[in-house]
């Protein structure tokens, strides 16, 4: 990797090669991972050789900081910079273990935080388009309508949905007993549209699907619907509705939370409905609603 090979540089060249072997043999890293480490470290070794004419063993915290500045100057994505620093951290941890260096120059270097990805969601008009496109004349159509309505009305996870039994839905109170992560249970209110769709499905369509167990949602053979089966149903519904965006149970969950906050629901209530243990997990939706607030402000305020 070095333009010259003498003494210390040759030793570090071997350490670099040994590190890649260590990743393959001891860490059992995939070819893709090893290739990624190889490129990141090779890029760094070339940089320090050309910039300062030093070996990896002579690198200090100051050198790493300047290298970071170079990476930012190249306008690389934060995820790319984070990956390169992670590769170097692992490399120097290995060198420290092998006593090839006396300290890790990356100890005080903090990996840049990855930018938060805002959740995808459907607008209200798109949801209406979805509901209108469902064929409710067939038994499976009634099931699909109830499924879609329930996801939007409650924001439940797909894993929670496939665990539902008929007894978990209280027709009279219009509530749903949801078995969440870690065995935690919560009662979630079900809106009138979803409650009506569920009642029709349970009373009319479900018996004709010849249930083989107590599952709320059944496939065409009468068995409990799986997560994969639900995704296939949602894929078909999005095609039938001519939607350009991808649909999934999680996007419907995002839609549920976003629409509640847009209409003035408080964060704690949404946290409880979603079954989030930590409020921070719910707070990501406030970014979406802030964008919505700005849009409304720009469109309605006389001096916006």
């Amino acid at each position: 990797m070095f333009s010259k090979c003498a003494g210390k540089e040759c030793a570090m060249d071997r350490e670099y090669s040994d590190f890649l072997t260590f990743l393959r043999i001891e860490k059992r890293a995939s070819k893709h991972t090893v290739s990624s480490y190889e490129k990141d470290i090779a890029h760094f070794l070339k940089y320090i050789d050309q910039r300062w004419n030093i070996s990896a063993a002579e690198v200090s915290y100051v050198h790493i900081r300047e290298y970071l500045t170079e990476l930012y100057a190249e306008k690389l994505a934060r995820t790319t910079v984070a990956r390169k620093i992670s590769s170097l951290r692992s490399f120097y941890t290995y060198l420290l273990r092998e006593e090839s260096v006396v300290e890790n120059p990356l100890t005080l270097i903090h990996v840049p935080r990855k930018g938060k990805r805002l959740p995808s969601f459907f607008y209200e008009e798109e949801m209406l388009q979805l509901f209108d496109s469902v064929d409710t004349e067939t038994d499976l159509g009634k099931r699909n309508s109830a499924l879609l309505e329930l996801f939007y009305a409650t924001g439940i996870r797909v894993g929670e949905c496939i665990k539902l039994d008929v007894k978990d839905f209280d027709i009279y109170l219009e509530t749903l007993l949801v078995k969440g992560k870690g065995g935690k249970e919560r009662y979630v209110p079900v809106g009138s549209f979803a409650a009506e769709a569920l009642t029709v499905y349970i009373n009319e369509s479900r018996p004709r699907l010849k249930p083989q167990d107590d599952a709320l949602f059944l496939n065409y053979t009468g068995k409990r619907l799986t997560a994969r089966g639900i995704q296939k149903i949602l894929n078909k519904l999005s095609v039938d509705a001519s939607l350009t965006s991808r649909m999934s149970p999680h996007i419907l969950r995002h839609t549920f939370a976003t629409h509640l906050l847009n209409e003035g629901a408080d964060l704690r209530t949404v946290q409880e409905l979603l079954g989030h243990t930590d409020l921070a997990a719910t707070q990501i939706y406030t970014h979406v609603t802030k964008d919505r607030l700005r849009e409304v402000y720009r469109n309605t305020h006389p001096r916006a």
Side-chain angles (χ1 to χ4, degrees):
M1 289 300 135
F2 295 85
S3 55
K4 56 187 180 302
C5 187
K8 191 181 293 183
E9 285 80 4
C10 273
M12 291 309 301
D13 219 3
R14 286 194 298 273
E15 293 287 5
Y16 167 69
S17 178
D18 290 344
F19 173 66
L20 297 179
T21 302
F22 162 76
L23 290 176
R24 295 189 196 98
I25 306 301
E26 291 191 39
K27 288 292 186 180
R28 297 181 180 275
S30 67
K31 288 183 180 180
H32 176 76
T33 300
V34 174
S35 175
S36 181
Y37 272 100
E38 187 174 7
K39 289 175 184 175
D40 290 341
I41 297 168
H43 179 267
F44 176 70
L45 294 179
K46 182 179 179 181
Y47 174 79
I48 61 173
D49 183 35
Q50 294 178 348
R51 177 72 177 81
W52 294 294
N53 192 31
I54 60 174
S55 71
E58 298 168 290
V59 170
S60 68
Y61 169 80
V62 174
H63 296 123
I64 297 293
R65 289 300 308 175
E66 187 164 332
Y67 178 61
L68 260 179
T69 303
E70 281 291 324
L71 295 180
Y72 286 131
E74 292 176 22
K75 296 184 178 179
L76 298 177
R78 278 182 290 184
T79 51
T80 302
V81 176
R83 192 204 67 227
K84 286 181 177 293
I85 293 301
S86 179
S87 297
L88 289 177
R89 196 186 304 281
S90 296
F91 179 49
Y92 274 97
T93 298
Y94 170 80
L95 294 180
L96 197 61
R97 192 191 80 168
E98 297 297 310
E99 299 182 349
S100 299
V101 295
V102 294
E103 63 179 0
N104 189 336
L106 287 99
T107 301
L108 299 177
I109 298 293
H110 297 288
V111 177
R113 293 182 66 182
K114 295 181 181 180
K116 284 186 178 178
R117 231 177 128 181
L118 294 181
S120 301
F121 67 96
F122 289 114
Y123 290 97
E124 291 178 44
E125 298 80 8
E126 292 176 304
M127 289 307 302
L128 289 174
Q129 191 177 334
L130 266 171
F131 292 130
D132 290 341
S133 68
V134 181
D135 177 14
T136 56
E137 296 300 315
T138 65
D139 290 331
L140 291 178
K142 289 183 176 67
R143 178 206 62 188
N144 295 346
S145 175
L147 186 67
L148 182 61
E149 289 279 8
L150 189 68
F151 272 124
Y152 180 55
T154 63
I156 59 173
R157 303 175 178 93
V158 67
E160 296 169 339
C161 183
I162 61 177
K163 293 177 187 174
L164 291 173
D165 291 331
V166 176
K167 62 180 175 60
D168 294 327
F169 172 56
D170 190 319
I171 293 177
Y172 303 103
L173 295 178
E174 294 186 352
T175 57
L176 192 70
L177 175 60
V178 180
K179 304 171 186 72
K181 290 182 177 179
K184 294 182 179 179
E185 296 183 346
R186 67 186 188 279
Y187 281 97
V188 179
V190 176
S192 58
F193 285 91
E196 183 180 350
L198 276 169
T199 302
V200 170
Y201 162 67
I202 291 171
N203 292 336
E204 299 177 17
S205 304
R206 189 178 178 278
R208 289 197 286 265
L209 292 175
K210 299 178 180 178
Q212 296 188 24
D213 58 32
D214 297 327
L216 176 57
F217 289 109
L218 307 173
N219 61 22
Y220 69 95
T221 65
K223 295 179 180 178
R224 187 180 294 270
L225 203 56
T226 63
R228 186 175 180 182
I230 288 175
Q231 185 58 62
K232 286 180 70 175
I233 291 168
L234 295 182
N235 287 344
K236 185 179 185 307
L237 291 179
S238 62
V239 171
D240 292 344
S242 301
L243 293 180
T244 55
S245 302
R246 185 178 66 89
M247 181 162 60
S248 70
H250 216 62
I251 290 177
L252 290 174
R253 180 172 166 85
H254 294 328
T255 302
F256 163 80
T258 302
H259 288 184
L260 280 176
L261 289 168
N262 279 344
E263 294 300 323
D266 66 272
L267 208 56
R268 287 287 181 188
T269 300
V270 176
Q271 176 192 5
E272 187 72 24
L273 291 171
L274 290 173
H276 284 161
T277 305
D278 190 353
L279 187 63
T282 317
Q283 284 176 327
I284 188 171
Y285 297 107
T286 61
H287 294 286
V288 178
T289 54
K290 281 175 186 174
D291 289 342
R292 170 68 176 159
L293 287 173
R294 278 194 291 269
E295 181 186 342
V296 171
Y297 176 79
R298 282 196 301 267
N299 293 335
T300 57
H301 195 281
R303 290 187 178 275

